[in-house]
Short mmCIF file of all heavy atoms in Angstrom, two decimals:
data_model
loop_
_atom_site.label_atom_id
_atom_site.label_comp_id
_atom_site.label_asym_id
_atom_site.label_seq_id
_atom_site.Cartn_x
_atom_site.Cartn_y
_atom_site.Cartn_z
N MET F 21 -62.11 -156.67 100.37
CA MET F 21 -60.78 -157.08 100.80
C MET F 21 -60.15 -155.99 101.67
O MET F 21 -60.36 -154.81 101.44
CB MET F 21 -59.89 -157.33 99.59
CG MET F 21 -60.41 -158.41 98.67
SD MET F 21 -59.26 -159.77 98.48
CE MET F 21 -58.09 -159.06 97.33
N ARG F 22 -59.37 -156.45 102.64
CA ARG F 22 -58.70 -155.52 103.53
C ARG F 22 -57.25 -155.97 103.72
O ARG F 22 -56.95 -157.16 103.59
CB ARG F 22 -59.39 -155.48 104.90
CG ARG F 22 -60.79 -154.83 104.85
CD ARG F 22 -60.71 -153.36 104.55
NE ARG F 22 -62.01 -152.69 104.53
CZ ARG F 22 -62.71 -152.45 103.42
NH1 ARG F 22 -62.27 -152.85 102.25
NH2 ARG F 22 -63.86 -151.81 103.49
N PRO F 23 -56.33 -155.02 104.02
CA PRO F 23 -54.92 -155.36 104.18
C PRO F 23 -54.61 -155.95 105.56
O PRO F 23 -55.11 -155.46 106.58
CB PRO F 23 -54.22 -154.01 104.00
CG PRO F 23 -55.23 -153.00 104.41
CD PRO F 23 -56.59 -153.57 104.14
N TYR F 24 -53.77 -156.97 105.56
CA TYR F 24 -53.28 -157.58 106.81
C TYR F 24 -51.77 -157.67 106.73
O TYR F 24 -51.22 -158.03 105.70
CB TYR F 24 -53.91 -158.97 107.01
CG TYR F 24 -55.38 -158.88 107.30
CD1 TYR F 24 -56.29 -158.83 106.26
CD2 TYR F 24 -55.85 -158.81 108.61
CE1 TYR F 24 -57.65 -158.72 106.50
CE2 TYR F 24 -57.21 -158.71 108.87
CZ TYR F 24 -58.11 -158.66 107.82
OH TYR F 24 -59.45 -158.54 108.08
N LEU F 25 -51.13 -157.35 107.84
CA LEU F 25 -49.68 -157.28 107.87
C LEU F 25 -49.05 -158.56 108.41
O LEU F 25 -49.49 -159.08 109.44
CB LEU F 25 -49.26 -156.10 108.75
CG LEU F 25 -47.77 -155.79 108.83
CD1 LEU F 25 -47.26 -155.29 107.48
CD2 LEU F 25 -47.50 -154.76 109.90
N ASP F 26 -48.03 -159.03 107.71
CA ASP F 26 -47.18 -160.10 108.24
C ASP F 26 -46.02 -159.40 108.94
O ASP F 26 -45.08 -158.93 108.30
CB ASP F 26 -46.68 -160.99 107.10
CG ASP F 26 -45.83 -162.14 107.62
OD1 ASP F 26 -45.38 -162.09 108.80
OD2 ASP F 26 -45.60 -163.09 106.86
N LYS F 27 -46.11 -159.29 110.25
CA LYS F 27 -45.15 -158.48 111.01
C LYS F 27 -43.72 -159.01 110.90
O LYS F 27 -42.76 -158.26 111.07
CB LYS F 27 -45.57 -158.40 112.49
CG LYS F 27 -46.77 -157.50 112.70
CD LYS F 27 -46.87 -156.99 114.12
CE LYS F 27 -47.39 -158.05 115.06
NZ LYS F 27 -47.62 -157.50 116.42
N ARG F 28 -43.58 -160.29 110.60
CA ARG F 28 -42.24 -160.87 110.48
C ARG F 28 -41.47 -160.25 109.31
O ARG F 28 -40.26 -160.24 109.28
CB ARG F 28 -42.32 -162.38 110.27
CG ARG F 28 -42.88 -163.14 111.47
CD ARG F 28 -43.21 -164.56 111.08
NE ARG F 28 -44.14 -164.60 109.94
CZ ARG F 28 -44.54 -165.71 109.33
NH1 ARG F 28 -44.08 -166.88 109.72
NH2 ARG F 28 -45.39 -165.65 108.33
N LYS F 29 -42.19 -159.73 108.31
CA LYS F 29 -41.55 -159.17 107.11
C LYS F 29 -41.43 -157.66 107.17
O LYS F 29 -40.88 -157.04 106.27
CB LYS F 29 -42.36 -159.55 105.87
CG LYS F 29 -42.43 -161.03 105.59
CD LYS F 29 -43.24 -161.25 104.32
CE LYS F 29 -43.40 -162.72 103.98
NZ LYS F 29 -44.32 -162.89 102.83
N CYS F 30 -41.98 -157.05 108.20
CA CYS F 30 -42.09 -155.59 108.24
C CYS F 30 -41.10 -154.97 109.22
O CYS F 30 -41.11 -155.30 110.40
CB CYS F 30 -43.51 -155.21 108.64
SG CYS F 30 -43.74 -153.44 108.87
N PRO F 31 -40.23 -154.06 108.74
CA PRO F 31 -39.29 -153.40 109.63
C PRO F 31 -39.95 -152.36 110.54
O PRO F 31 -39.34 -151.90 111.51
CB PRO F 31 -38.29 -152.73 108.68
CG PRO F 31 -39.05 -152.52 107.42
CD PRO F 31 -40.04 -153.65 107.33
N ALA F 32 -41.18 -151.99 110.25
CA ALA F 32 -41.94 -151.04 111.07
C ALA F 32 -41.19 -149.74 111.29
O ALA F 32 -41.06 -149.26 112.42
CB ALA F 32 -42.34 -151.68 112.40
N VAL F 33 -40.69 -149.18 110.19
CA VAL F 33 -40.00 -147.90 110.26
C VAL F 33 -40.85 -146.88 109.49
O VAL F 33 -41.05 -147.00 108.28
CB VAL F 33 -38.59 -147.99 109.64
CG1 VAL F 33 -37.92 -146.62 109.63
CG2 VAL F 33 -37.75 -149.00 110.39
N LYS F 34 -41.33 -145.89 110.25
CA LYS F 34 -42.28 -144.93 109.67
C LYS F 34 -41.71 -144.24 108.43
O LYS F 34 -42.40 -144.10 107.41
CB LYS F 34 -42.63 -143.90 110.73
CG LYS F 34 -43.69 -142.92 110.30
CD LYS F 34 -43.99 -141.93 111.41
CE LYS F 34 -45.09 -140.97 111.00
NZ LYS F 34 -45.33 -139.97 112.06
N ALA F 35 -40.44 -143.81 108.52
CA ALA F 35 -39.84 -143.04 107.43
C ALA F 35 -39.67 -143.88 106.15
O ALA F 35 -39.56 -143.33 105.06
CB ALA F 35 -38.50 -142.49 107.86
N LEU F 36 -39.66 -145.20 106.29
CA LEU F 36 -39.46 -146.08 105.12
C LEU F 36 -40.76 -146.65 104.60
O LEU F 36 -40.77 -147.30 103.56
CB LEU F 36 -38.54 -147.26 105.50
CG LEU F 36 -37.11 -146.96 105.91
CD1 LEU F 36 -36.41 -148.25 106.29
CD2 LEU F 36 -36.38 -146.26 104.77
N CYS F 37 -41.84 -146.42 105.31
CA CYS F 37 -43.06 -147.17 105.01
C CYS F 37 -43.78 -146.63 103.77
O CYS F 37 -44.36 -145.55 103.78
CB CYS F 37 -44.01 -147.15 106.20
SG CYS F 37 -45.47 -148.18 105.90
N LYS F 38 -43.74 -147.43 102.69
CA LYS F 38 -44.42 -147.06 101.44
C LYS F 38 -45.93 -147.17 101.59
O LYS F 38 -46.68 -146.45 100.93
CB LYS F 38 -43.95 -147.99 100.31
CG LYS F 38 -42.47 -147.90 100.00
CD LYS F 38 -42.13 -146.54 99.44
CE LYS F 38 -40.64 -146.42 99.18
NZ LYS F 38 -40.24 -145.03 98.98
N ALA F 39 -46.37 -148.06 102.46
CA ALA F 39 -47.82 -148.25 102.63
C ALA F 39 -48.46 -146.98 103.19
O ALA F 39 -49.54 -146.56 102.74
CB ALA F 39 -48.08 -149.44 103.55
N ILE F 40 -47.81 -146.36 104.16
CA ILE F 40 -48.33 -145.09 104.71
C ILE F 40 -48.36 -144.03 103.60
O ILE F 40 -49.34 -143.31 103.45
CB ILE F 40 -47.45 -144.60 105.88
CG1 ILE F 40 -47.56 -145.55 107.07
CG2 ILE F 40 -47.86 -143.18 106.30
CD1 ILE F 40 -46.62 -145.23 108.22
N GLU F 41 -47.28 -143.99 102.82
CA GLU F 41 -47.13 -142.97 101.78
C GLU F 41 -48.24 -143.05 100.73
O GLU F 41 -48.77 -142.03 100.31
CB GLU F 41 -45.77 -143.21 101.12
CG GLU F 41 -45.14 -142.02 100.47
CD GLU F 41 -43.74 -142.40 99.98
OE1 GLU F 41 -42.85 -142.65 100.83
OE2 GLU F 41 -43.54 -142.46 98.76
N VAL F 42 -48.59 -144.25 100.30
CA VAL F 42 -49.51 -144.38 99.16
C VAL F 42 -50.98 -144.36 99.55
O VAL F 42 -51.84 -144.17 98.69
CB VAL F 42 -49.24 -145.65 98.32
CG1 VAL F 42 -47.83 -145.62 97.75
CG2 VAL F 42 -49.48 -146.92 99.12
N CYS F 43 -51.29 -144.54 100.82
CA CYS F 43 -52.71 -144.63 101.19
C CYS F 43 -53.34 -143.24 101.21
O CYS F 43 -53.02 -142.42 102.07
CB CYS F 43 -52.90 -145.31 102.54
SG CYS F 43 -54.66 -145.47 102.95
N SER F 44 -54.26 -143.00 100.29
CA SER F 44 -54.89 -141.68 100.19
C SER F 44 -56.00 -141.51 101.22
O SER F 44 -56.54 -140.42 101.40
CB SER F 44 -55.46 -141.48 98.79
OG SER F 44 -56.42 -142.49 98.53
N ARG F 45 -56.37 -142.58 101.90
CA ARG F 45 -57.46 -142.49 102.86
C ARG F 45 -56.98 -142.38 104.31
O ARG F 45 -57.79 -142.40 105.24
CB ARG F 45 -58.38 -143.70 102.71
CG ARG F 45 -59.03 -143.74 101.34
CD ARG F 45 -59.97 -144.89 101.19
NE ARG F 45 -61.10 -144.83 102.10
CZ ARG F 45 -62.26 -144.25 101.82
NH1 ARG F 45 -62.44 -143.67 100.66
NH2 ARG F 45 -63.23 -144.26 102.70
N GLY F 46 -55.66 -142.30 104.48
CA GLY F 46 -55.12 -142.18 105.83
C GLY F 46 -55.43 -143.39 106.69
O GLY F 46 -55.61 -143.28 107.90
N ALA F 47 -55.47 -144.55 106.04
CA ALA F 47 -55.85 -145.77 106.76
C ALA F 47 -54.65 -146.58 107.23
O ALA F 47 -54.83 -147.64 107.84
CB ALA F 47 -56.74 -146.64 105.86
N VAL F 48 -53.44 -146.07 106.96
CA VAL F 48 -52.23 -146.75 107.41
C VAL F 48 -51.46 -145.79 108.31
O VAL F 48 -51.26 -144.63 107.95
CB VAL F 48 -51.32 -147.18 106.23
CG1 VAL F 48 -50.22 -148.12 106.71
CG2 VAL F 48 -52.14 -147.84 105.12
N ALA F 49 -51.04 -146.27 109.46
CA ALA F 49 -50.36 -145.39 110.41
C ALA F 49 -49.29 -146.14 111.17
O ALA F 49 -49.34 -147.36 111.31
CB ALA F 49 -51.37 -144.82 111.40
N TYR F 50 -48.31 -145.37 111.63
CA TYR F 50 -47.31 -145.91 112.53
C TYR F 50 -47.81 -145.69 113.96
O TYR F 50 -48.19 -144.58 114.32
CB TYR F 50 -45.97 -145.21 112.33
CG TYR F 50 -44.91 -145.68 113.29
CD1 TYR F 50 -44.25 -146.87 113.07
CD2 TYR F 50 -44.58 -144.93 114.41
CE1 TYR F 50 -43.28 -147.31 113.97
CE2 TYR F 50 -43.62 -145.36 115.30
CZ TYR F 50 -42.97 -146.55 115.07
OH TYR F 50 -42.02 -147.00 115.95
N VAL F 51 -47.79 -146.76 114.75
CA VAL F 51 -48.27 -146.69 116.13
C VAL F 51 -47.13 -147.09 117.06
O VAL F 51 -46.55 -148.17 116.91
CB VAL F 51 -49.46 -147.66 116.34
CG1 VAL F 51 -49.95 -147.61 117.78
CG2 VAL F 51 -50.59 -147.33 115.38
N GLU F 52 -46.80 -146.22 117.99
CA GLU F 52 -45.79 -146.57 118.99
C GLU F 52 -46.35 -147.66 119.90
O GLU F 52 -47.51 -147.59 120.31
CB GLU F 52 -45.40 -145.34 119.80
CG GLU F 52 -44.57 -144.36 118.99
CD GLU F 52 -44.04 -143.21 119.84
OE1 GLU F 52 -44.14 -143.28 121.07
OE2 GLU F 52 -43.52 -142.26 119.24
N ASP F 53 -45.51 -148.66 120.15
CA ASP F 53 -45.97 -149.79 120.96
C ASP F 53 -44.75 -150.43 121.63
O ASP F 53 -43.92 -151.04 120.97
CB ASP F 53 -46.68 -150.80 120.05
CG ASP F 53 -47.29 -151.96 120.83
OD1 ASP F 53 -46.93 -152.15 122.02
OD2 ASP F 53 -48.12 -152.69 120.26
N ASP F 54 -44.65 -150.25 122.92
CA ASP F 54 -43.50 -150.76 123.66
C ASP F 54 -43.42 -152.28 123.65
O ASP F 54 -42.38 -152.86 123.93
CB ASP F 54 -43.54 -150.26 125.11
CG ASP F 54 -43.21 -148.78 125.20
OD1 ASP F 54 -42.59 -148.27 124.25
OD2 ASP F 54 -43.59 -148.14 126.20
N ALA F 55 -44.52 -152.93 123.31
CA ALA F 55 -44.53 -154.39 123.26
C ALA F 55 -43.82 -154.92 122.00
O ALA F 55 -43.50 -156.10 121.92
CB ALA F 55 -45.96 -154.90 123.29
N GLU F 56 -43.59 -154.03 121.03
CA GLU F 56 -42.92 -154.44 119.79
C GLU F 56 -41.40 -154.32 119.96
O GLU F 56 -40.93 -153.40 120.63
CB GLU F 56 -43.38 -153.57 118.62
CG GLU F 56 -44.86 -153.68 118.31
CD GLU F 56 -45.25 -155.05 117.77
OE1 GLU F 56 -44.38 -155.77 117.24
OE2 GLU F 56 -46.43 -155.40 117.89
N PRO F 57 -40.63 -155.20 119.30
CA PRO F 57 -39.16 -155.18 119.45
C PRO F 57 -38.54 -153.83 119.09
O PRO F 57 -37.59 -153.40 119.73
CB PRO F 57 -38.69 -156.26 118.48
CG PRO F 57 -39.87 -157.11 118.17
CD PRO F 57 -41.08 -156.29 118.43
N LEU F 58 -39.08 -153.16 118.07
CA LEU F 58 -38.50 -151.90 117.64
C LEU F 58 -39.30 -150.69 118.13
O LEU F 58 -39.11 -149.57 117.67
CB LEU F 58 -38.38 -151.86 116.10
CG LEU F 58 -37.43 -152.91 115.52
CD1 LEU F 58 -37.49 -152.90 114.00
CD2 LEU F 58 -36.00 -152.65 115.98
N GLY F 59 -40.22 -150.93 119.04
CA GLY F 59 -40.94 -149.83 119.67
C GLY F 59 -42.14 -149.31 118.91
O GLY F 59 -42.71 -148.28 119.28
N GLY F 60 -42.51 -150.01 117.85
CA GLY F 60 -43.68 -149.56 117.11
C GLY F 60 -44.09 -150.56 116.05
O GLY F 60 -43.39 -151.53 115.80
N ARG F 61 -45.24 -150.29 115.43
CA ARG F 61 -45.74 -151.19 114.38
C ARG F 61 -46.57 -150.39 113.38
O ARG F 61 -47.00 -149.25 113.69
CB ARG F 61 -46.58 -152.31 114.98
CG ARG F 61 -47.77 -151.81 115.76
CD ARG F 61 -48.47 -152.95 116.50
NE ARG F 61 -49.29 -152.42 117.59
CZ ARG F 61 -50.51 -151.90 117.43
NH1 ARG F 61 -51.06 -151.86 116.24
NH2 ARG F 61 -51.16 -151.41 118.47
N ILE F 62 -46.77 -150.97 112.21
CA ILE F 62 -47.64 -150.37 111.21
C ILE F 62 -49.04 -150.92 111.41
O ILE F 62 -49.22 -152.14 111.56
CB ILE F 62 -47.14 -150.70 109.77
CG1 ILE F 62 -45.67 -150.31 109.59
CG2 ILE F 62 -48.04 -150.02 108.74
CD1 ILE F 62 -45.34 -148.86 109.84
N ALA F 63 -50.03 -150.03 111.45
CA ALA F 63 -51.41 -150.45 111.73
C ALA F 63 -52.35 -149.99 110.62
O ALA F 63 -52.17 -148.92 110.04
CB ALA F 63 -51.85 -149.87 113.06
N PHE F 64 -53.34 -150.80 110.34
CA PHE F 64 -54.34 -150.48 109.32
C PHE F 64 -55.68 -150.21 109.98
O PHE F 64 -56.09 -150.92 110.89
CB PHE F 64 -54.50 -151.66 108.34
CG PHE F 64 -53.26 -151.95 107.56
CD1 PHE F 64 -52.37 -152.92 107.99
CD2 PHE F 64 -52.97 -151.23 106.41
CE1 PHE F 64 -51.20 -153.18 107.28
CE2 PHE F 64 -51.81 -151.48 105.70
CZ PHE F 64 -50.93 -152.45 106.13
N ASP F 65 -56.36 -149.17 109.50
CA ASP F 65 -57.71 -148.87 109.96
C ASP F 65 -58.68 -149.41 108.91
O ASP F 65 -58.88 -148.81 107.85
CB ASP F 65 -57.86 -147.35 110.11
CG ASP F 65 -59.22 -146.97 110.66
OD1 ASP F 65 -60.17 -147.76 110.51
OD2 ASP F 65 -59.34 -145.87 111.22
N HIS F 66 -59.25 -150.56 109.19
CA HIS F 66 -60.10 -151.22 108.21
C HIS F 66 -61.42 -150.48 107.97
O HIS F 66 -62.08 -150.70 106.95
CB HIS F 66 -60.35 -152.67 108.63
CG HIS F 66 -59.16 -153.57 108.44
ND1 HIS F 66 -59.09 -154.86 108.88
CD2 HIS F 66 -57.97 -153.34 107.81
CE1 HIS F 66 -57.92 -155.39 108.55
NE2 HIS F 66 -57.22 -154.49 107.91
N GLU F 67 -61.80 -149.61 108.87
CA GLU F 67 -63.01 -148.81 108.67
C GLU F 67 -62.78 -147.74 107.60
O GLU F 67 -63.63 -147.49 106.75
CB GLU F 67 -63.40 -148.12 109.98
CG GLU F 67 -63.67 -149.06 111.13
CD GLU F 67 -65.11 -149.55 111.13
OE1 GLU F 67 -66.00 -148.71 110.95
OE2 GLU F 67 -65.32 -150.76 111.33
N ARG F 68 -61.61 -147.11 107.64
CA ARG F 68 -61.29 -146.07 106.65
C ARG F 68 -60.93 -146.67 105.30
O ARG F 68 -61.09 -146.03 104.27
CB ARG F 68 -60.08 -145.28 107.12
CG ARG F 68 -60.37 -144.28 108.20
CD ARG F 68 -59.11 -143.49 108.48
NE ARG F 68 -59.30 -142.52 109.50
CZ ARG F 68 -58.87 -141.26 109.42
NH1 ARG F 68 -58.21 -140.86 108.36
NH2 ARG F 68 -59.08 -140.42 110.39
N CYS F 69 -60.36 -147.85 105.31
CA CYS F 69 -59.83 -148.49 104.11
C CYS F 69 -60.94 -148.80 103.11
O CYS F 69 -62.01 -149.26 103.48
CB CYS F 69 -59.13 -149.79 104.52
SG CYS F 69 -58.63 -150.82 103.14
N ASP F 70 -60.66 -148.53 101.80
CA ASP F 70 -61.64 -148.88 100.77
C ASP F 70 -61.22 -150.11 99.97
O ASP F 70 -61.84 -150.45 98.98
CB ASP F 70 -61.89 -147.69 99.84
CG ASP F 70 -60.68 -147.34 98.98
OD1 ASP F 70 -59.63 -148.01 99.10
OD2 ASP F 70 -60.79 -146.39 98.18
N GLY F 71 -60.15 -150.77 100.41
CA GLY F 71 -59.74 -152.02 99.77
C GLY F 71 -59.03 -151.86 98.44
O GLY F 71 -58.96 -152.81 97.66
N CYS F 72 -58.45 -150.69 98.17
CA CYS F 72 -57.84 -150.44 96.86
C CYS F 72 -56.62 -151.31 96.59
O CYS F 72 -56.28 -151.58 95.44
CB CYS F 72 -57.48 -148.97 96.71
SG CYS F 72 -56.04 -148.46 97.69
N GLY F 73 -55.91 -151.72 97.63
CA GLY F 73 -54.76 -152.61 97.47
C GLY F 73 -53.44 -151.93 97.17
O GLY F 73 -52.42 -152.60 97.02
N LEU F 74 -53.43 -150.60 97.10
CA LEU F 74 -52.19 -149.88 96.78
C LEU F 74 -51.10 -150.12 97.83
O LEU F 74 -49.92 -150.24 97.49
CB LEU F 74 -52.46 -148.37 96.67
CG LEU F 74 -53.15 -147.90 95.39
CD1 LEU F 74 -53.38 -146.40 95.47
CD2 LEU F 74 -52.32 -148.25 94.17
N CYS F 75 -51.48 -150.21 99.08
CA CYS F 75 -50.49 -150.42 100.14
C CYS F 75 -49.81 -151.77 99.97
O CYS F 75 -48.61 -151.91 100.20
CB CYS F 75 -51.14 -150.33 101.51
SG CYS F 75 -52.51 -151.47 101.75
N SER F 76 -50.56 -152.76 99.55
CA SER F 76 -50.01 -154.10 99.34
C SER F 76 -49.01 -154.10 98.19
O SER F 76 -47.93 -154.68 98.29
CB SER F 76 -51.15 -155.08 99.06
OG SER F 76 -50.65 -156.37 98.85
N THR F 77 -49.35 -153.41 97.11
CA THR F 77 -48.47 -153.34 95.94
C THR F 77 -47.19 -152.57 96.27
O THR F 77 -46.11 -152.95 95.84
CB THR F 77 -49.20 -152.63 94.78
OG1 THR F 77 -50.43 -153.31 94.54
CG2 THR F 77 -48.36 -152.65 93.51
N ALA F 78 -47.32 -151.50 97.05
CA ALA F 78 -46.18 -150.62 97.32
C ALA F 78 -45.31 -151.10 98.47
O ALA F 78 -44.18 -150.65 98.61
CB ALA F 78 -46.69 -149.21 97.63
N CYS F 79 -45.80 -152.00 99.28
CA CYS F 79 -45.11 -152.41 100.51
C CYS F 79 -43.66 -152.82 100.25
O CYS F 79 -43.39 -153.68 99.41
CB CYS F 79 -45.88 -153.56 101.15
SG CYS F 79 -45.07 -154.21 102.62
N CYS F 80 -42.75 -152.23 101.01
CA CYS F 80 -41.32 -152.45 100.78
C CYS F 80 -40.87 -153.86 101.13
O CYS F 80 -39.82 -154.31 100.67
CB CYS F 80 -40.50 -151.43 101.56
SG CYS F 80 -40.53 -151.62 103.36
N GLY F 81 -41.64 -154.56 101.94
CA GLY F 81 -41.22 -155.90 102.37
C GLY F 81 -42.15 -157.01 101.91
O GLY F 81 -42.05 -158.13 102.37
N ASN F 82 -43.07 -156.67 100.98
CA ASN F 82 -44.07 -157.66 100.54
C ASN F 82 -44.79 -158.26 101.76
O ASN F 82 -45.04 -159.45 101.83
CB ASN F 82 -43.39 -158.75 99.70
CG ASN F 82 -44.39 -159.56 98.91
OD1 ASN F 82 -45.48 -159.08 98.60
ND2 ASN F 82 -44.04 -160.79 98.57
N ALA F 83 -45.10 -157.39 102.71
CA ALA F 83 -45.61 -157.84 104.00
C ALA F 83 -47.11 -157.61 104.17
O ALA F 83 -47.68 -158.00 105.18
CB ALA F 83 -44.86 -157.13 105.13
N VAL F 84 -47.74 -156.98 103.17
CA VAL F 84 -49.16 -156.67 103.29
C VAL F 84 -49.97 -157.57 102.35
O VAL F 84 -49.80 -157.51 101.13
CB VAL F 84 -49.44 -155.19 102.96
CG1 VAL F 84 -50.94 -154.89 103.09
CG2 VAL F 84 -48.64 -154.27 103.87
N GLU F 85 -50.83 -158.37 102.93
CA GLU F 85 -51.67 -159.28 102.14
C GLU F 85 -53.10 -158.77 102.15
O GLU F 85 -53.63 -158.40 103.21
CB GLU F 85 -51.61 -160.68 102.75
CG GLU F 85 -52.38 -161.71 101.95
CD GLU F 85 -52.60 -163.02 102.72
OE1 GLU F 85 -52.00 -163.19 103.80
OE2 GLU F 85 -53.39 -163.84 102.25
N MET F 86 -53.74 -158.77 100.97
CA MET F 86 -55.15 -158.40 100.88
C MET F 86 -55.99 -159.68 100.99
O MET F 86 -55.76 -160.63 100.27
CB MET F 86 -55.44 -157.70 99.55
CG MET F 86 -54.67 -156.42 99.29
SD MET F 86 -54.99 -155.10 100.49
CE MET F 86 -56.71 -154.71 100.11
N ARG F 87 -56.94 -159.66 101.93
CA ARG F 87 -57.84 -160.81 101.99
C ARG F 87 -59.18 -160.41 102.59
O ARG F 87 -59.31 -159.35 103.17
CB ARG F 87 -57.22 -161.97 102.75
CG ARG F 87 -56.74 -161.66 104.16
CD ARG F 87 -56.20 -162.95 104.77
NE ARG F 87 -55.03 -162.73 105.58
CZ ARG F 87 -55.06 -162.56 106.91
NH1 ARG F 87 -56.20 -162.57 107.54
NH2 ARG F 87 -53.95 -162.33 107.59
S1 SF4 P 2 -43.99 -150.67 103.43
FE1 SF4 P 2 -44.68 -152.66 104.26
S2 SF4 P 2 -42.89 -153.73 105.12
FE2 SF4 P 2 -42.34 -151.55 104.75
S3 SF4 P 2 -42.69 -150.60 106.77
FE3 SF4 P 2 -44.59 -150.33 105.57
S4 SF4 P 2 -45.92 -152.10 106.03
FE4 SF4 P 2 -43.82 -152.55 106.77
S1 SF4 P 3 -56.05 -150.97 100.69
FE1 SF4 P 3 -55.95 -148.82 99.94
S2 SF4 P 3 -57.29 -147.68 101.32
FE2 SF4 P 3 -56.85 -149.65 102.31
S3 SF4 P 3 -55.09 -149.23 103.64
FE3 SF4 P 3 -54.29 -149.98 101.68
S4 SF4 P 3 -53.89 -148.13 100.43
FE4 SF4 P 3 -55.21 -147.54 102.16
#
């Protein structure tokens, strides 16, 4: 299983992101992206991810689905 983000539920604020905080594998990151309304998005590196699901449990907006 790997995490997938529902961007509609995610404020994409690095300082608030619990998913970045809890991932011990450094597989969650904030990426600047001018195409996004707030100038950035939360991104998952599925290669680094071990599927632990902690980011999904900790997500502040219930926006991370494991599948
Ligand atoms: S914890 Fe979840 S909803 Fe909050 S910023 Fe991170 S990915 Fe988005
Ligand atoms: S499932 Fe675990 S390893 Fe994968 S991104 Fe989330 S916290 Fe990191």
